[in-house]
Amino acid sequence: MIAPATDSTAYSPRQNAVLDSALRLLVEGGEKALTTAGLARAANCSKESLYKWFGDRDGLLSAVIEFQARKVRVPAEAEGPLDARALTMRLEEFARELLAVLASDASLALNRLAIGQASGEGARLGHLLQERGRRGIGRRIEALLEAARQAGLIAFDEAGEAYATLYGLIVTDQHLRWLLGESPEPRTFDIRAERAVAAFLRLYRR
Amino acid sequence: MIAPATDSTAYSPRQNAVLDSALRLLVEGGEKALTTAGLARAANCSKESLYKWFGDRDGLLSAVIEFQARKVRVPAEAEGPLDARALTMRLEEFARELLAVLASDASLALNRLAIGQASGEGARLGHLLQERGRRGIGRRIEALLEAARQAGLIAFDEAGEAYATLYGLIVTDQHLRWLLGESPEPRTFDIRAERAVAAFLRLYRR
DNA sequence: GCCGATACGTACCGTACGGTACGGTACTAT
DNA sequence: ATAGTACCGTACCGTACGGTACGTATCGGC
């Protein structure tokens, strides 16, 4: 049964609390740790309620992803005059945020979950995660790049390609290393962000 | 029981055939599809033999990773005089190879396996995959970069950082997207490789 | 021709999970 | 007070998996 991807379904406070427990289990023990019985015990609810609310274990997993995505909504940054210095600072801010998000326990746990699920069965959770997570911040940074181009600060043919380049310079292979179990070192994020933005601007500055 | 990471253990032809079946199962159905009974059926061997050879399901998974890593050994490229044109071509060749490897069924399946395992239990498979897979091609390309620097073609402070930049420019977020279930489009690899190398050289050319 | 070793095929065991059913409880509306 | 609702806790069922044990067959060494 393919769930109709209901965007508007808001969960009750009780259900959100349960999803919070589910996310905690997922972060601490991976997919294997998120069992229906385990979640019922951890959240002090009954298995029957779980199946009533989320229909199915897959529905539960999808709900956890949407639950987290809903929490991450970054506040839209205050717009202001855009000169070279402001652009640099906003790009660096974005880079730091991106690294922090990708390195967070919740993000790593959900990405591991979706990736593990992507084999065999269709990539339902993968698409969901991509759509709910990345698209948001992607749109935001592409808008910033577009504004910078309009202001004559940078030049590119296609915003998507410039964004991909920026992303690659910031993240390199760190995300995969973290997913494979390496521990993030947040102290290094600042310098990574600086270097990546400097390189990006050297490539795209007019 | 922590396996002693025996590098030198070569498997018999029969065992390699079994590992090949295991990899096939893994590629087709993900980790869930690689069951002891299923592998015994697919490879026409007994479960008892599996446990005798690999000790344990974890040992089997490790063996599959090492098995694949042993197959991927890229032939060391023929060295020659290194001028700007040769450097560009070798970097583009590397980029194409890298994209092809990362997009291959086997690589994606094994990375998904190791990533799924990385939660909870220690990142044994992750480390193994990192060590057996990446290190090899990393060392090779860093040697090329070092040679290019000695030849005065490019300039950088640290080879590792230059390599990370090159990697990021080539791969961007494609690898993650593939891991999440997006289908690779090999037709685009050439142009991706060209653009990434062009950007890299614009950043590091003397 | 016999023996030991190796490995196949199958049957088996314990466990853990997804999913369902049922009795009991608090709370609300009428 | 009564009926209805939502939920908890627990017990239960079927299944599938990891791991073990056993009987049988193939094959090389003597």
Side-chain angles (χ1 to χ4, degrees), chain A residues 142-186:
Chain A
E142 282 187 20
L144 174 59
L145 293 179
E146 193 60 45
R149 190 179 67 156
Q150 300 265 343
L153 295 172
I154 58 180
F156 52 78
D157 290 339
E158 202 210 339
E161 190 194 324
Y163 172 51
T165 302
L166 177 60
Y167 185 100
L169 287 170
I170 294 170
V171 178
T172 65
D173 67 344
Q174 277 298 322
H175 197 194
L176 184 70
R177 307 249 290 261
W178 295 334
L179 287 170
L180 284 171
E182 194 173 309
S183 295
E185 304 203 27

Short mmCIF file of all heavy atoms in Angstrom, two decimals, chain A residues 142-186:
data_model
loop_
_atom_site.label_atom_id
_atom_site.label_comp_id
_atom_site.label_asym_id
_atom_site.label_seq_id
_atom_site.Cartn_x
_atom_site.Cartn_y
_atom_site.Cartn_z
N GLU A 142 20.59 28.66 -3.54
CA GLU A 142 20.54 29.01 -4.95
C GLU A 142 19.95 30.41 -5.13
O GLU A 142 20.37 31.17 -6.02
CB GLU A 142 19.72 27.98 -5.73
CG GLU A 142 20.49 26.70 -6.00
CD GLU A 142 19.74 25.75 -6.92
OE1 GLU A 142 18.82 26.22 -7.63
OE2 GLU A 142 20.07 24.55 -6.93
N ALA A 143 19.00 30.77 -4.28
CA ALA A 143 18.47 32.13 -4.33
C ALA A 143 19.56 33.14 -4.02
O ALA A 143 19.68 34.19 -4.68
CB ALA A 143 17.31 32.27 -3.33
N LEU A 144 20.37 32.81 -3.01
CA LEU A 144 21.47 33.72 -2.67
C LEU A 144 22.45 33.86 -3.84
O LEU A 144 22.88 34.97 -4.19
CB LEU A 144 22.21 33.20 -1.43
CG LEU A 144 23.47 33.97 -1.03
CD1 LEU A 144 23.16 35.43 -0.76
CD2 LEU A 144 24.14 33.32 0.19
N LEU A 145 22.78 32.73 -4.46
CA LEU A 145 23.70 32.79 -5.60
C LEU A 145 23.10 33.63 -6.73
O LEU A 145 23.79 34.44 -7.36
CB LEU A 145 24.00 31.37 -6.09
CG LEU A 145 24.81 30.49 -5.13
CD1 LEU A 145 25.02 29.10 -5.73
CD2 LEU A 145 26.13 31.13 -4.78
N GLU A 146 21.83 33.42 -6.97
CA GLU A 146 21.17 34.18 -8.03
C GLU A 146 21.21 35.68 -7.74
O GLU A 146 21.51 36.51 -8.62
CB GLU A 146 19.72 33.71 -8.16
CG GLU A 146 19.01 34.19 -9.41
CD GLU A 146 19.70 33.70 -10.67
OE1 GLU A 146 20.08 32.51 -10.74
OE2 GLU A 146 19.89 34.53 -11.58
N ALA A 147 20.95 36.03 -6.48
CA ALA A 147 21.00 37.44 -6.09
C ALA A 147 22.40 38.00 -6.30
O ALA A 147 22.58 39.13 -6.76
CB ALA A 147 20.57 37.59 -4.63
N ALA A 148 23.40 37.20 -5.96
CA ALA A 148 24.79 37.66 -6.12
C ALA A 148 25.12 37.86 -7.59
O ALA A 148 25.86 38.79 -7.95
CB ALA A 148 25.74 36.64 -5.49
N ARG A 149 24.56 37.02 -8.44
CA ARG A 149 24.81 37.20 -9.87
C ARG A 149 24.13 38.47 -10.36
O ARG A 149 24.71 39.26 -11.11
CB ARG A 149 24.28 35.99 -10.66
CG ARG A 149 24.74 36.05 -12.11
CD ARG A 149 24.26 34.87 -12.87
NE ARG A 149 22.81 34.85 -13.04
CZ ARG A 149 22.19 34.21 -14.03
NH1 ARG A 149 22.89 33.54 -14.91
NH2 ARG A 149 20.89 34.23 -14.12
N GLN A 150 22.91 38.67 -9.94
CA GLN A 150 22.19 39.89 -10.32
C GLN A 150 22.95 41.14 -9.87
O GLN A 150 22.93 42.17 -10.53
CB GLN A 150 20.80 39.89 -9.68
CG GLN A 150 19.91 38.72 -10.08
CD GLN A 150 18.98 39.05 -11.24
OE1 GLN A 150 18.78 40.23 -11.54
NE2 GLN A 150 18.47 38.04 -11.90
N ALA A 151 23.62 41.01 -8.72
CA ALA A 151 24.39 42.16 -8.21
C ALA A 151 25.74 42.27 -8.89
O ALA A 151 26.53 43.17 -8.56
CB ALA A 151 24.56 42.01 -6.69
N GLY A 152 26.02 41.38 -9.82
CA GLY A 152 27.27 41.45 -10.56
C GLY A 152 28.48 40.99 -9.79
O GLY A 152 29.62 41.28 -10.17
N LEU A 153 28.26 40.27 -8.70
CA LEU A 153 29.40 39.84 -7.89
C LEU A 153 30.03 38.56 -8.42
O LEU A 153 31.25 38.38 -8.38
CB LEU A 153 28.95 39.61 -6.44
CG LEU A 153 28.47 40.87 -5.72
CD1 LEU A 153 27.85 40.51 -4.38
CD2 LEU A 153 29.63 41.84 -5.53
N ILE A 154 29.20 37.67 -8.90
CA ILE A 154 29.70 36.41 -9.44
C ILE A 154 29.03 36.15 -10.78
O ILE A 154 28.06 36.81 -11.14
CB ILE A 154 29.43 35.23 -8.49
CG1 ILE A 154 27.93 35.09 -8.21
CG2 ILE A 154 30.18 35.39 -7.18
CD1 ILE A 154 27.60 33.94 -7.28
N ALA A 155 29.59 35.18 -11.50
CA ALA A 155 29.04 34.84 -12.82
C ALA A 155 29.00 33.33 -12.97
O ALA A 155 29.94 32.64 -12.60
CB ALA A 155 29.92 35.45 -13.92
N PHE A 156 27.88 32.84 -13.49
CA PHE A 156 27.77 31.41 -13.79
C PHE A 156 26.66 31.22 -14.80
O PHE A 156 25.81 32.09 -14.99
CB PHE A 156 27.50 30.60 -12.52
CG PHE A 156 26.32 31.11 -11.72
CD1 PHE A 156 25.02 30.84 -12.10
CD2 PHE A 156 26.54 31.88 -10.57
CE1 PHE A 156 23.95 31.31 -11.35
CE2 PHE A 156 25.47 32.35 -9.83
CZ PHE A 156 24.17 32.07 -10.21
N ASP A 157 26.70 30.06 -15.44
CA ASP A 157 25.67 29.77 -16.44
C ASP A 157 24.40 29.25 -15.78
O ASP A 157 23.31 29.66 -16.11
CB ASP A 157 26.19 28.73 -17.43
CG ASP A 157 27.27 29.32 -18.32
OD1 ASP A 157 27.31 30.57 -18.43
OD2 ASP A 157 28.06 28.56 -18.88
N GLU A 158 24.61 28.32 -14.84
CA GLU A 158 23.44 27.69 -14.25
C GLU A 158 23.63 27.62 -12.74
O GLU A 158 24.67 27.18 -12.24
CB GLU A 158 23.28 26.28 -14.81
CG GLU A 158 21.89 25.71 -14.70
CD GLU A 158 21.94 24.21 -14.58
OE1 GLU A 158 22.97 23.62 -14.97
OE2 GLU A 158 20.97 23.64 -14.05
N ALA A 159 22.60 28.04 -12.02
CA ALA A 159 22.71 28.09 -10.56
C ALA A 159 22.95 26.70 -9.97
O ALA A 159 23.72 26.54 -9.02
CB ALA A 159 21.44 28.70 -9.96
N GLY A 160 22.28 25.71 -10.54
CA GLY A 160 22.44 24.36 -10.01
C GLY A 160 23.88 23.89 -10.05
O GLY A 160 24.37 23.28 -9.10
N GLU A 161 24.56 24.21 -11.15
CA GLU A 161 25.94 23.77 -11.26
C GLU A 161 26.84 24.50 -10.27
O GLU A 161 27.72 23.91 -9.64
CB GLU A 161 26.43 24.00 -12.69
CG GLU A 161 27.77 23.36 -12.98
CD GLU A 161 28.35 23.91 -14.27
OE1 GLU A 161 27.57 24.17 -15.19
OE2 GLU A 161 29.58 24.06 -14.33
N ALA A 162 26.61 25.80 -10.13
CA ALA A 162 27.40 26.56 -9.16
C ALA A 162 27.17 26.03 -7.75
O ALA A 162 28.11 25.89 -6.95
CB ALA A 162 27.02 28.04 -9.24
N TYR A 163 25.92 25.72 -7.46
CA TYR A 163 25.60 25.18 -6.14
C TYR A 163 26.30 23.84 -5.92
O TYR A 163 26.87 23.59 -4.85
CB TYR A 163 24.09 25.01 -5.98
CG TYR A 163 23.68 24.30 -4.74
CD1 TYR A 163 24.15 24.71 -3.49
CD2 TYR A 163 22.83 23.21 -4.80
CE1 TYR A 163 23.78 24.05 -2.33
CE2 TYR A 163 22.45 22.54 -3.64
CZ TYR A 163 22.93 22.96 -2.42
OH TYR A 163 22.56 22.30 -1.28
N ALA A 164 26.28 23.00 -6.94
CA ALA A 164 26.95 21.71 -6.81
C ALA A 164 28.44 21.89 -6.54
O ALA A 164 29.03 21.20 -5.70
CB ALA A 164 26.74 20.88 -8.08
N THR A 165 29.05 22.85 -7.23
CA THR A 165 30.46 23.11 -7.00
C THR A 165 30.70 23.57 -5.56
O THR A 165 31.60 23.08 -4.87
CB THR A 165 30.97 24.18 -7.97
OG1 THR A 165 30.75 23.73 -9.30
CG2 THR A 165 32.44 24.45 -7.75
N LEU A 166 29.88 24.50 -5.12
CA LEU A 166 30.02 24.99 -3.74
C LEU A 166 29.87 23.85 -2.75
O LEU A 166 30.66 23.70 -1.81
CB LEU A 166 28.96 26.07 -3.48
CG LEU A 166 28.93 26.65 -2.06
CD1 LEU A 166 30.26 27.30 -1.71
CD2 LEU A 166 27.78 27.64 -1.92
N TYR A 167 28.87 23.02 -2.97
CA TYR A 167 28.63 21.89 -2.09
C TYR A 167 29.85 20.96 -2.06
O TYR A 167 30.31 20.55 -0.99
CB TYR A 167 27.39 21.12 -2.57
CG TYR A 167 26.97 20.00 -1.66
CD1 TYR A 167 25.93 20.17 -0.77
CD2 TYR A 167 27.61 18.76 -1.70
CE1 TYR A 167 25.54 19.13 0.07
CE2 TYR A 167 27.23 17.72 -0.87
CZ TYR A 167 26.19 17.92 0.00
OH TYR A 167 25.81 16.90 0.83
N GLY A 168 30.36 20.64 -3.22
CA GLY A 168 31.52 19.76 -3.28
C GLY A 168 32.72 20.34 -2.57
O GLY A 168 33.44 19.63 -1.86
N LEU A 169 32.96 21.63 -2.74
CA LEU A 169 34.11 22.26 -2.09
C LEU A 169 33.95 22.25 -0.57
O LEU A 169 34.92 22.12 0.17
CB LEU A 169 34.26 23.70 -2.59
CG LEU A 169 34.79 23.84 -4.01
CD1 LEU A 169 34.67 25.28 -4.50
CD2 LEU A 169 36.25 23.38 -4.08
N ILE A 170 32.73 22.39 -0.11
CA ILE A 170 32.50 22.42 1.34
C ILE A 170 32.59 21.03 1.95
O ILE A 170 33.29 20.80 2.94
CB ILE A 170 31.11 23.02 1.66
CG1 ILE A 170 31.05 24.48 1.25
CG2 ILE A 170 30.80 22.87 3.14
CD1 ILE A 170 29.65 25.08 1.30
N VAL A 171 31.91 20.09 1.34
CA VAL A 171 31.71 18.79 1.99
C VAL A 171 32.79 17.78 1.62
O VAL A 171 33.16 16.93 2.42
CB VAL A 171 30.32 18.23 1.62
CG1 VAL A 171 30.12 16.87 2.23
CG2 VAL A 171 29.24 19.19 2.10
N THR A 172 33.30 17.88 0.38
CA THR A 172 34.25 16.88 -0.15
C THR A 172 33.74 15.47 0.17
O THR A 172 32.59 15.17 -0.12
CB THR A 172 35.69 17.08 0.39
OG1 THR A 172 35.73 16.85 1.79
CG2 THR A 172 36.15 18.49 0.11
N ASP A 173 34.59 14.64 0.80
CA ASP A 173 34.11 13.29 1.11
C ASP A 173 33.81 13.12 2.60
O ASP A 173 33.63 11.99 3.06
CB ASP A 173 35.13 12.24 0.65
CG ASP A 173 36.41 12.31 1.44
OD1 ASP A 173 36.62 13.35 2.11
OD2 ASP A 173 37.21 11.36 1.40
N GLN A 174 33.76 14.22 3.31
CA GLN A 174 33.53 14.12 4.75
C GLN A 174 32.20 13.45 5.09
O GLN A 174 32.12 12.66 6.02
CB GLN A 174 33.58 15.51 5.39
CG GLN A 174 34.98 15.99 5.68
CD GLN A 174 35.68 15.09 6.69
OE1 GLN A 174 35.07 14.60 7.62
NE2 GLN A 174 36.95 14.83 6.44
N HIS A 175 31.16 13.80 4.34
CA HIS A 175 29.86 13.26 4.68
C HIS A 175 29.88 11.73 4.62
O HIS A 175 29.40 11.06 5.54
CB HIS A 175 28.79 13.81 3.72
CG HIS A 175 27.39 13.64 4.23
ND1 HIS A 175 26.29 13.80 3.42
CD2 HIS A 175 26.91 13.31 5.45
CE1 HIS A 175 25.20 13.58 4.15
NE2 HIS A 175 25.53 13.28 5.37
N LEU A 176 30.45 11.21 3.57
CA LEU A 176 30.53 9.76 3.45
C LEU A 176 31.36 9.17 4.58
O LEU A 176 31.00 8.15 5.16
CB LEU A 176 31.14 9.37 2.10
CG LEU A 176 31.17 7.86 1.86
CD1 LEU A 176 29.78 7.33 1.65
CD2 LEU A 176 32.08 7.51 0.70
N ARG A 177 32.47 9.80 4.91
CA ARG A 177 33.30 9.29 6.01
C ARG A 177 32.51 9.25 7.29
O ARG A 177 32.59 8.28 8.06
CB ARG A 177 34.53 10.19 6.17
CG ARG A 177 35.32 10.39 4.87
CD ARG A 177 36.68 9.73 4.90
NE ARG A 177 37.60 10.38 5.80
CZ ARG A 177 38.53 11.24 5.42
NH1 ARG A 177 38.64 11.57 4.15
NH2 ARG A 177 39.35 11.75 6.30
N TRP A 178 31.75 10.30 7.55
CA TRP A 178 30.92 10.30 8.76
C TRP A 178 29.89 9.18 8.70
O TRP A 178 29.66 8.49 9.69
CB TRP A 178 30.21 11.65 8.92
CG TRP A 178 31.14 12.79 9.14
CD1 TRP A 178 32.38 12.73 9.69
CD2 TRP A 178 30.91 14.16 8.82
NE1 TRP A 178 32.95 13.98 9.72
CE2 TRP A 178 32.06 14.86 9.20
CE3 TRP A 178 29.85 14.86 8.26
CZ2 TRP A 178 32.18 16.25 9.03
CZ3 TRP A 178 29.96 16.23 8.09
CH2 TRP A 178 31.12 16.92 8.47
N LEU A 179 29.27 9.01 7.56
CA LEU A 179 28.27 7.96 7.43
C LEU A 179 28.89 6.58 7.67
O LEU A 179 28.24 5.68 8.21
CB LEU A 179 27.62 8.00 6.04
CG LEU A 179 26.65 9.13 5.80
CD1 LEU A 179 26.26 9.22 4.33
CD2 LEU A 179 25.40 8.96 6.65
N LEU A 180 30.15 6.46 7.33
CA LEU A 180 30.82 5.17 7.52
C LEU A 180 31.30 4.98 8.94
O LEU A 180 31.83 3.91 9.27
CB LEU A 180 31.99 5.03 6.55
CG LEU A 180 31.61 4.73 5.11
CD1 LEU A 180 32.82 4.82 4.18
CD2 LEU A 180 31.00 3.34 5.00
N GLY A 181 31.16 6.00 9.78
CA GLY A 181 31.48 5.79 11.18
C GLY A 181 32.55 6.72 11.75
O GLY A 181 32.78 6.72 12.95
N GLU A 182 33.21 7.50 10.90
CA GLU A 182 34.22 8.42 11.40
C GLU A 182 33.55 9.52 12.23
O GLU A 182 32.44 9.94 11.93
CB GLU A 182 34.96 9.03 10.20
CG GLU A 182 36.25 9.74 10.57
CD GLU A 182 37.02 10.18 9.32
OE1 GLU A 182 37.22 9.33 8.43
OE2 GLU A 182 37.37 11.36 9.22
N SER A 183 34.22 9.97 13.27
CA SER A 183 33.64 10.98 14.15
C SER A 183 33.90 12.38 13.60
O SER A 183 35.04 12.73 13.30
CB SER A 183 34.24 10.88 15.55
OG SER A 183 33.89 9.65 16.13
N PRO A 184 32.85 13.18 13.47
CA PRO A 184 33.04 14.57 13.03
C PRO A 184 33.84 15.36 14.06
O PRO A 184 33.76 15.09 15.26
CB PRO A 184 31.60 15.10 12.96
CG PRO A 184 30.72 13.91 12.91
CD PRO A 184 31.43 12.84 13.68
N GLU A 185 34.60 16.33 13.56
CA GLU A 185 35.34 17.21 14.46
C GLU A 185 34.90 18.65 14.20
O GLU A 185 35.49 19.35 13.37
CB GLU A 185 36.84 17.07 14.23
CG GLU A 185 37.30 15.64 14.37
CD GLU A 185 38.79 15.55 14.70
OE1 GLU A 185 39.33 16.51 15.30
OE2 GLU A 185 39.41 14.53 14.35
N PRO A 186 33.91 19.11 14.94
CA PRO A 186 33.31 20.42 14.66
C PRO A 186 34.31 21.57 14.73
O PRO A 186 34.07 22.63 14.14
CB PRO A 186 32.25 20.56 15.77
CG PRO A 186 31.95 19.16 16.18
CD PRO A 186 33.23 18.41 16.03
#
